[in-house]
């Protein structure tokens, strides 16, 4: 009887569980049995592994073979267990030393010719292995850079099963010929899910193709919405842009992700892990360093927004926009069920998806931008534009954005049509993204310094209790907000969000704490009622 074991990782959402792959050989009729709650793609690994082992020059054991995946109670899916199964079988057959693979985590899919193909989710899998105390991992050569992002882990990238056998047996490592030039690399096909290419709303439209990045200087006029965009980026506040078609709502939203500061190392690892599991991590870019941007179509279902699917839930748009921007264009056209599902992640920064196959917790701390027309035809707020929508239709259209959802939106700005002078450039170009982003970075640095020693980094994350008891504003600054609260114009949550925006406005003008004018700016941004204060974030 021969026995050997190797290790791999089963992904549940964006979290990994280390799985021990055990291979047992016994005398009897040659058969291959795989147990341990595998899915269809994992059951098919029996044929892939057998062909890969034979085509790699090793002998397939003609005995009764049982491969167990432990713990057996954890659902296992995908083809990333192939490499560990093949190694455990070869260890049980004594082709390689079982002691060499007992504490090695192996992740990768095997082709029938023995080549090792990359799989999705390598980064979260290696992170789980490191947390479990493992120090050595074997991954496909194409994803070795992604695995190397985890500190304290020794990474071996292999191109084929032959190379792995040679390394484990201390034999000369064979050279694997590269694919022919001038055609797409078929080995990278496993990293991308079909349908996640261009056109799926995973990057601003102007940033695709020629590499040109959207710039705020391209936006004609729109001084007030531009300043609201700056406040949203500096404090991480959610934003509603309402106005007629063609006013520039989408242009403004597409430029918000470039204004956000670069991701920290920890944030980059979080975002990269989600994108790796979702299959949208670009090949050759193992680490996401910029704030992501996700703009799903208004026909998106609730599962595509918050996560779900058959079996183990997969990340949705709110998780793909983690640490970045989630833009919902034509927000009233989304289903009410899908929009209301955003309430929990907007408050908690994560989403919990419960399915029969298990409960998954996915990260979802994003900056939401809603764009909405005033009515179905879009001309309701334009003087002399000929809007023919009855008042009841206008009310029903605007009511599609529920009160509880809008109560979680800090900034509500009306985007007015652009006049001829601004459109022809007679009013001069506005500030560029680089200039605005510099002010945003300075404001975030002040907030981070003030919040040092706490679990929060931006003003939008600070609980209301802390704002009212520890982070106090100037005396008398809340008089106007308290009046609005008594009149029913603000809820208790709304008052807390006004305080958060006021702190962001104060940070943008380098003030120690908000005064009455900062609170007035925050109230005007939330309610849309003019307060008689200038909107310039860096000046009075």
């Amino acid at each position: 009887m021969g026995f050997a074991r190797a290790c791999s990782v089963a992904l549940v959402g964006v979290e990994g569980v280390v799985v021990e792959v055990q291979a047992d050989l016994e005398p009897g009729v040659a058969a291959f049995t795989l147990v341990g709650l595998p899915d269809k793609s994992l059951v098919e690994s029996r044929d892939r592994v057998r062909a890969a082992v034979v085509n790699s020059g090793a002998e397939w054991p003609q005995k009764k073979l049982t491969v167990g995946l432990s713990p057996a109670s954890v659902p296992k899916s995908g083809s990333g267990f192939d490499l560990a199964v093949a190694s455990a079988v070869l260890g049980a057959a004594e082709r390689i030393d079982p002691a060499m693979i007992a504490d090695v985590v192996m992740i990768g899919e095997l082709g029938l010719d023995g080549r090792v193909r990359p799989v999705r989710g390598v980064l979260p899998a290696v992170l789980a292995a490191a947390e479990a105390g493992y120090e050595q991992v074997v991954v496909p050569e194409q994803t070795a850079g992604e695995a190397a992002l985890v500190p304290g882990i020794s990474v071996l990238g292999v191109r084929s099963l032959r190379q792995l056998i040679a390394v484990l047996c201390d034999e000369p490592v064979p050279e694997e010929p590269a694919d022919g030039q001038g055609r797409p690399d078929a080995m990278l096909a496993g990293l991308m899910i079909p349908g996640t290419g261009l056109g799926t709303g995973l990057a601003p439209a102007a940033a695709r193709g020629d590499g040109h990045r959207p710039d705020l200087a391209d936006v004609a006029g729109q001084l007030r919405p531009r300043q609201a965009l700056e406040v949203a980026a500096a404090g991480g506040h959610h934003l509603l842009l309402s106005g007629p078609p063609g006013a520039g709502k989408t242009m403004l939203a597409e430029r918000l992700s470039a204004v956000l500061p670069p991701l920290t190392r920890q944030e980059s690892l979080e975002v990269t892990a989600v994108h790796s599991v979702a299959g949208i991590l670009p090949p050759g870019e193992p680490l996401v360093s910029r704030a992501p941007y996700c703009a799903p179509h208004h026909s998106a279902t609730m599962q595509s927004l918050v996560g779900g699917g058959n079996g183990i839930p997969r990340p949705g748009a709110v998780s793909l926009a983690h640490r970045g921007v989630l833009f919902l264009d034509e927000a009233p056209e989304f289903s009410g069920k899908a929009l209301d599902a955003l309430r929990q992640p907007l408050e908690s920064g994560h989403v919990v998806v419960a399915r029969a196959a298990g409960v998954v917790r996915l990260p979802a701390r994003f900056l939401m931008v809603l764009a909405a027309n005033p009515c179905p035809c879009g001309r309701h707020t334009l003087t002399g534009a000929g809007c023919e929508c009855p008042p009841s239709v206008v009310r029903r259209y605007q009511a599609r954005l529920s009160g509880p959802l809008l109560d979680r939106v800090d900034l509500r700005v009306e985007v007015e049509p652009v006049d001829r002078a601004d459109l022809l450039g007679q009013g001069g170009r506005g500030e560029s993204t680089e200039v605005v982003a510099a002010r945003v970075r300075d404001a975030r640095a002040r907030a981070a310094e003030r919040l040092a020693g706490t679990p929060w980094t931006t003003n939008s994350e600070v609980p209301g209790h802390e704002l009212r008891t520890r982070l106090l504003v100037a005396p008398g600054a809340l008089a106007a907000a308290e009046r609005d609260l008594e009149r029913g114009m603000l809820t208790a949550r709304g008052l807390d969000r006004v305080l958060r925006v006021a702190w962001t406005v104060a940070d943008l003008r380098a003030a120690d704490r908000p005064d009455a004018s900062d609170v007035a700016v925050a109230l005007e941004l939330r309610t849309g009622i003019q307060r008689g204060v200038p909107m310039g974030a860096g000046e009075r």
Side-chain angles (χ1 to χ4, degrees):
M1 181 179 71
F3 178 84
R5 63 185 178 89
C7 295
S8 191
V9 179
L11 289 177
V12 183
V14 293
E15 298 177 355
V17 178
V18 176
V19 174
E20 188 176 276
V21 180
Q22 305 167 347
D24 177 70
L25 283 175
E26 296 179 355
V29 178
F32 189 169
T33 304
L34 183 64
V35 297
L37 210 59
D39 72 341
K40 180 64 174 176
S41 62
L42 188 48
V43 169
E44 293 174 348
S45 68
R46 295 178 300 184
D47 300 319
R48 291 194 301 268
V49 169
R50 182 188 291 108
V53 168
V54 173
N55 291 326
S56 297
E59 183 180 352
W60 183 259
Q62 297 299 319
K63 295 182 180 181
K64 181 182 179 182
L65 172 62
T66 303
V67 174
L69 308 176
S70 177
S73 59
V74 176
K76 303 164 189 72
S77 61
S79 57
F81 294 87
D82 289 2
L83 198 58
V85 171
S87 300
V89 171
L90 292 173
E94 298 182 353
R95 174 61 178 89
I96 59 179
D97 185 2
M100 296 290 295
I101 61 174
D103 295 320
V104 179
V105 175
M106 301 183 181
I107 305 164
E109 176 187 336
L110 285 176
L112 299 184
D113 56 355
R115 289 185 299 172
V116 181
R117 293 179 172 272
V119 294
R120 298 183 294 270
V122 168
L123 178 59
V126 177
L127 284 170
E131 292 177 359
Y134 291 87
E135 299 178 353
Q136 293 180 314
V137 296
V138 178
V139 297
E141 186 181 54
Q142 292 86 347
T143 57
E146 184 181 344
L149 296 173
V150 182
I153 288 287
S154 175
V155 178
L156 173 62
V158 294
R159 187 176 296 180
S160 69
L161 183 60
R162 301 181 194 89
Q163 291 184 341
L164 178 60
I165 294 174
V167 171
L168 295 175
C169 296
D170 199 16
E171 300 172 354
V173 179
E175 288 292 335
E176 295 292 341
D179 287 343
Q181 301 297 324
R183 65 187 184 203
D185 188 357
M187 296 291 285
L188 299 177
L191 293 177
M192 299 293 289
I193 295 179
T196 56
L198 300 181
T200 54
L202 298 173
R208 306 180 189 131
D210 57 2
H212 171 70
R213 295 190 63 83
D215 196 302
L216 268 176
D218 300 334
V219 180
Q222 304 298 359
L223 177 61
R224 187 177 298 267
R226 286 169 58 99
Q227 292 165 344
L229 208 71
E230 181 177 344
V231 174
H237 306 290
H238 305 304
L239 174 64
L240 168 63
L241 299 172
S242 57
K249 302 186 293 295
T250 302
M251 284 188 68
L252 288 164
E254 287 180 343
R255 283 148 180 80
L256 180 56
S257 60
V259 178
L260 295 175
L263 301 177
T264 64
R265 175 73 176 186
Q266 180 61 33
E267 292 172 346
S268 295
L269 289 176
E270 294 175 5
V271 174
T272 303
V274 176
H275 287 200
S276 179
V277 171
I280 62 172
L281 192 63
E285 297 183 18
L287 187 66
V288 178
S289 59
R290 293 182 176 273
Y293 173 92
C294 187
H297 191 259
H298 59 75
S299 60
T301 62
M302 184 183 70
Q303 288 77 13
S304 66
L305 281 181
V306 301
N310 296 327
I312 297 296
R314 302 186 63 86
V318 296
S319 297
L320 300 182
H322 180 58
R323 302 294 182 184
V325 177
L326 176 66
F327 177 46
L328 302 183
D329 200 4
E330 305 295 344
E333 301 296 339
F334 282 79
S335 70
K337 187 178 180 181
L339 289 176
D340 288 338
L342 299 176
R343 297 184 196 176
Q344 179 205 358
L346 286 175
E347 286 290 328
S348 61
H350 64 267
V351 59
V352 178
V353 183
R355 294 291 185 271
V359 179
V360 174
R361 184 180 186 271
L362 301 169
R365 187 167 296 282
F366 55 89
L367 197 164
M368 183 180 68
V369 180
L370 303 174
N373 294 327
C375 67
C377 75
R379 301 190 297 269
H380 180 65
T381 57
L382 299 178
T383 304
C387 175
E388 299 179 354
C389 300
S392 59
V393 173
V394 176
R395 285 195 302 269
R396 282 197 302 270
Y397 186 80
Q398 296 178 351
R400 294 181 182 178
L401 298 179
S402 65
L405 177 65
L406 291 179
D407 199 37
R408 291 165 168 81
V409 177
D410 303 337
L411 314 175
R412 308 173 191 175
V413 181
E414 191 74 26
V415 182
E416 303 291 343
V418 182
D419 56 28
R420 184 181 62 178
D422 288 330
L423 194 59
L424 298 179
Q426 298 175 4
R429 285 170 60 89
E431 292 179 321
S432 65
T433 296
E434 184 178 359
V435 174
V436 177
R439 285 203 301 267
V440 169
R441 286 195 300 269
D442 293 341
R444 288 216 174 189
R446 296 187 188 97
E449 182 180 359
R450 180 174 64 252
L451 299 173
T454 69
W456 317 297
T457 56
T458 60
N459 293 323
S460 62
E461 301 173 4
V462 182
H465 175 74
E466 292 288 324
L467 293 170
R468 295 188 298 270
T469 58
R470 192 170 68 88
L471 302 176
L472 301 178
V473 301
L478 285 177
E482 291 171 352
R483 286 196 299 269
D484 285 358
L485 181 65
E486 293 175 355
R487 295 169 181 169
M489 298 175 61
L490 278 180
T491 62
R493 180 192 288 121
L495 179 62
D496 291 343
R497 292 186 175 273
V498 166
L499 281 173
R500 293 168 184 162
V501 176
W503 274 104
T504 301
V505 175
D507 287 336
L508 283 169
R509 65 181 186 89
D512 293 334
R513 57 179 178 173
D515 56 17
S517 58
D518 295 324
V519 175
V521 170
L523 283 170
E524 182 172 335
L525 287 172
R526 181 170 180 84
T527 62
I529 301 175
Q530 300 291 331
R531 305 282 171 164
V533 292
M535 286 290 294
E539 60 185 14
R540 279 283 178 258

